[in-house]
Amino acid sequence: MTKFIAQATEYLPLLLHGVWLTVVITFVALCLATALGLVWALFRTSGIRSLAVPTRLFIDFVRGVPLLVILFYIYFVAPDIGINLTALQAGMIGLGLAHSCYLGETFRAGIDAVDRGQVEAAKSIGMKRPLMMRRVVLPQALKIILPPYANNMVMLLKDSSLVSVISVQELTMQGKMLASSTFDNMTVFTLVALLYLCLTVPLNILMRRVEIYLGAGR
Amino acid sequence: MIIFDDVHKSFGAHEVLKGISAEIAKGQVVCLIGPSGSGKSTLLRCVNGLETYQRGHISVDGTVVDAASSQVHAICTRVSMVFQRFNLFPHRTSLENVMEGPLYVLKEDRKQVRERALALLNRVGLADKTNAYPASLSGGQQQRVAIARALAMRPQAILFDEPTSALDPEMVGEVLQVMRALADENMTMLVVTHEIQFAREVSDNVLFLDGGRIVEQGPAKELLRHPKHERTKDFLHRVMHPV
Ligand SMILES: Nc1ncnc2c1ncn2[C@@H]1O[C@H](COP(=O)(O)OP(=O)(O)OP(=O)(O)O)[C@@H](O)[C@H]1O
Ligand SMILES: [Mg+2]
C-alpha cells in the first residue's frame, strides 16, 4: 500500500495533463451536444415535417453507428472532403455530435411530457411558439430532463476516453503511455480509474443537489 | 361580436360540427349546453384557434378566425379562455400567472401590469394568495386565478369550457360568483356548462348542441323552462335529475 502511494504520487503529475484534457473535451463536447440536442428536440417537436423527419433520420443514423466509427469518420474521412481537423477538434466534434443525438431524444421526451393543457393555456393568451417554449414548456420540461441529462453527462465524460483512439492524449491515453513505459499497469490504471471517479462522483452529487433544489420550487 | 356561420369541423372522417350558425352580441352571456361528445368544447376551441375548422366562418368582432393564419395569435389576445382543468402555469405564482400575458405577449410596462394583476387577484378574492404557487391552491382558487389571468389580457370576450366541472361541489359557488360578477359588468361570455341554474339566472341565450348541431337556441329562461324539442327536454331532465 505504501508502495502504491509512493508510486502514485510520482505518476500523478504526469497524468494531470490528461485529466485537464479530459475535462476540456467533456466540457466542449457537452456544450455542443446540449446546444445541438436542443435544436434537434425543437425540430422534432415543431410539427413541421420537413424539419422533423430529416432530424429523426439523422438521429437514428448517428445512434445506430458506434461512437468509435463516428470518431474515425470525422478524423480520417473529413480531410478527404477538404475539412482538416486536429485530433482534439475531431474528438470534441464527434463526441458532441453523437451525444447531441442522445440528448436530443431526452429533451424531446421531456418536452412531450409537458401537459398539453399548458400549451393550450399559453396559446390562449396569445403566445407564439418561441415565447411559449421559453416561458412555459422548457422550464417545465427541465425538471423532467435533468436526471437523464446528468446521467448523460457522466456517460459523455466516460466516452471521452474513446478519443484516445485518434491519438488525443487525454487521461486514458496518458495512462496507457505511462503504463507501457513503467510496466506498472496495476498502479497506473488504478490511478486512472480513481481519477475518473474523482470527476464523475462530484458530478453526480452536484446534479442531485440541483434536482432537489428544483423540486423544492413548489 | 362572435359570429358562427355554418361552421363544419371534422377529426379525420368523424364530423364533429355539422353546420353551426349562431351569434353572440357584445355584452351577452351565452351558455352552451349539450351531452358529452356533442362538440361543445370543439366549437369553443375553434373560436380562439386551438382547433381548425374546415368549412364556414367564425368571426370575432369582424375578424375571421383562421387557425392556419398568423392572425390567430391576435385573436387570442382579444378572446381569453378559461379551461376545465385550470391549466395554470405550475412554475409561476398566482401573480406571475396573471402577469404573464400582458407582460410578455402584450409587452406592457411591468409596473402597470403588476398593479393591474394585483387588482384583478383582489377582485377574484385572492389578494392574500398572490405569491402562492398553483399546487398550494384549492381547485376553486386556481380557477379564480385562471379567470384573473384571462381578464389580464383585457379581452373583448371570454370563453369558459366547463369551468366548474373539475371542482369539488363546495367550490363551485365561488367560481360562479366571479363569473356572475363579470356578466353583470357586461363582459361578453361564451360558457360551456352543466350548471343549469347558473345558465338560467345569468345567461341571455342558451344554445343546445347535440350531435354537432344546434338543436335549439333561444333566451335562457324560455329555453330552459319550456324546451321545445324532445332531445332538449330529455337532456335537461337528465342533467337536473341525475338519479
Ligand atoms: N383531438 C381530437 N381528435 C379526434 N377526435 C376528437 C378530438 N377532440 C374531440 N374529438 C371528438 O369530437 C367529439 C366532440 O368532442 P368535444 O370535446 O367537443 O365534446 P364535448 O361536447 O365538449 O363533450 P364533453 O361534455 O365530454 O366535454 C367527440 O366525439 C370526441 O371524441
Ligand atoms: Mg368538453
Side-chain angles (χ1 to χ4, degrees):
Chain A
M1 191 63 196
T2 42
K3 182 165 161 272
F4 173 79
I5 291 172
Q7 276 171 343
T9 36
E10 191 194 325
Y11 298 150
L12 194 59
L14 300 170
L15 289 174
L16 279 182
H17 180 70
V19 172
W20 169 241
L21 208 54
T22 290
V23 169
V24 169
I25 292 169
T26 303
F27 180 75
V28 174
L30 184 69
C31 291
L32 186 67
T34 305
L36 277 178
L38 197 57
V39 171
W40 304 150
L42 291 175
F43 280 4
R44 287 270 270 135
T45 55
S46 67
I48 304 169
R49 281 182 62 87
S50 55
L51 288 180
V53 174
T55 306
R56 190 176 154 190
L57 289 175
F58 177 73
I59 288 177
D60 284 351
F61 174 77
V62 172
R63 291 205 305 178
V65 176
L67 189 44
L68 274 179
V69 177
I70 293 175
L71 289 173
F72 284 145
Y73 224 87
I74 291 179
Y75 187 50
F76 295 115
V77 181
D80 292 350
I81 53 168
I83 306 171
N84 278 308
L85 296 168
T86 65
L88 181 62
Q89 287 167 340
M92 292 189 300
I93 292 173
L95 272 177
L97 206 62
H99 275 263
S100 78
C101 293
Y102 311 149
L103 280 180
E105 287 302 278
T106 305
F107 293 165
R108 183 188 59 81
I111 290 171
D112 281 349
V114 173
D115 182 22
R116 287 236 10 110
Q118 291 293 309
V119 173
E120 296 186 347
K123 281 187 186 165
S124 83
I125 55 171
M127 285 192 176
K128 294 181 187 168
R129 210 179 116 82
L131 184 63
M132 175 175 91
M133 277 291 161
R134 188 161 63 80
R135 297 286 308 169
V136 178
V137 177
L138 291 179
Q140 294 184 60
L142 188 69
K143 272 179 73 172
I144 305 166
I145 290 168
L146 211 60
Y149 182 79
N151 209 21
N152 224 286
M153 201 153 91
V154 172
M155 299 241 282
L156 174 54
L157 196 144
K158 292 191 290 181
D159 279 353
S160 72
S161 66
L162 292 175
V163 302
S164 58
V165 297
I166 52 172
S167 70
V168 178
Q169 295 190 14
E170 42 64 72
L171 182 51
T172 304
M173 182 69 161
Q174 283 223 311
K176 212 174 116 205
M177 288 177 1
L178 191 61
S180 59
S181 66
T182 61
F183 301 107
D184 192 355
N185 288 317
M186 170 77 160
T187 312
V188 171
F189 285 119
T190 306
L191 202 55
V192 167
L194 286 175
L195 284 171
Y196 272 112
L197 277 176
C198 286
L199 295 173
T200 52
V201 170
L203 265 186
N204 279 326
I205 294 173
L206 177 75
M207 269 301 161
R208 211 157 301 148
R209 282 272 164 80
V210 174
E211 245 172 76
I212 291 168
Y213 171 77
L214 279 181
R218 319 285 109 84
Chain B
M1 174 81 219
I2 301 175
I3 297 170
F4 300 95
D5 177 18
D6 194 31
V7 176
H8 289 255
K9 156 85 187 167
S10 314
F11 289 108
H14 178 32
E15 192 171 34
V16 175
L17 300 177
K18 302 170 182 165
I20 303 285
S21 296
E23 195 169 334
I24 295 148
K26 200 170 173 58
Q28 258 191 344
V29 178
V30 173
C31 282
L32 199 54
I33 61 172
S36 182
S38 56
K40 307 180 297 292
S41 300
T42 307
L43 184 63
L44 211 61
R45 292 155 57 83
C46 284
V47 178
N48 68 346
L50 288 181
E51 296 285 1
T52 55
Y53 52 93
Q54 281 92 27
R55 259 172 56 204
H57 291 288
I58 299 175
S59 68
V60 175
D61 208 18
T63 312
V64 174
V65 184
D66 172 9
S69 92
S70 53
Q71 287 278 310
V72 72
H73 298 286
I75 294 283
C76 287
T77 61
R78 288 192 280 142
V79 182
S80 294
M81 187 157 195
V82 173
F83 301 88
Q84 182 175 0
R85 304 217 52 91
F86 332 130
N87 298 357
L88 290 179
F89 304 129
H91 55 306
R92 308 209 185 281
T93 63
S94 309
L95 185 63
E96 288 166 345
N97 264 281
V98 178
M99 290 174 67
E100 190 73 18
L103 201 56
Y104 291 94
V105 178
L106 303 178
K107 301 199 167 64
E108 292 175 17
D109 174 64
R110 178 178 285 270
K111 212 164 139 258
Q112 286 171 12
V113 169
R114 194 184 146 82
E115 260 163 45
R116 200 164 83 233
L118 286 170
L120 283 170
L121 284 171
N122 188 33
R123 182 162 148 198
V124 298
L126 292 171
D128 56 334
K129 297 289 183 191
T130 51
N131 293 318
Y133 283 93
S136 69
L137 298 175
S138 74
Q141 291 170 332
Q142 288 190 52
Q143 194 60 300
R144 285 184 282 150
V145 174
I147 293 174
R149 175 174 71 180
L151 285 170
M153 296 299 287
R154 278 199 270 247
Q156 295 171 336
I158 305 186
L159 313 169
F160 293 84
D161 191 358
E162 302 198 37
T164 59
S165 359
L167 297 178
D168 290 338
E170 76 267 24
M171 292 169 189
V172 170
E174 66 196 53
V175 171
L176 290 183
Q177 208 178 336
V178 169
M179 291 171 62
R180 186 186 291 255
L182 283 179
D184 289 343
E185 292 164 34
N186 291 321
M187 173 60 78
T188 310
M189 294 158 62
L190 180 55
V191 186
V192 175
T193 187
H194 293 297
E195 300 289 336
I196 300 300
Q197 195 191 338
F198 173 85
R200 185 157 51 215
E201 289 170 15
V202 178
S203 65
D204 300 294
N205 282 328
V206 169
L207 309 180
F208 174 64
L209 211 64
D210 192 9
R213 288 199 176 83
I214 294 180
V215 174
E216 191 167 350
Q217 63 178 311
K221 295 194 174 66
E222 213 174 291
L223 190 146
L224 295 172
R225 289 231 173 79
H226 311 290
K228 290 194 183 63
H229 288 256
E230 248 351 276
R231 275 191 286 173
T232 322
K233 281 181 201 164
D234 227 46
F235 173 76
L236 287 174
H237 185 80
R238 268 185 290 123
V239 172
M240 289 189 286
H241 308 280
V243 276

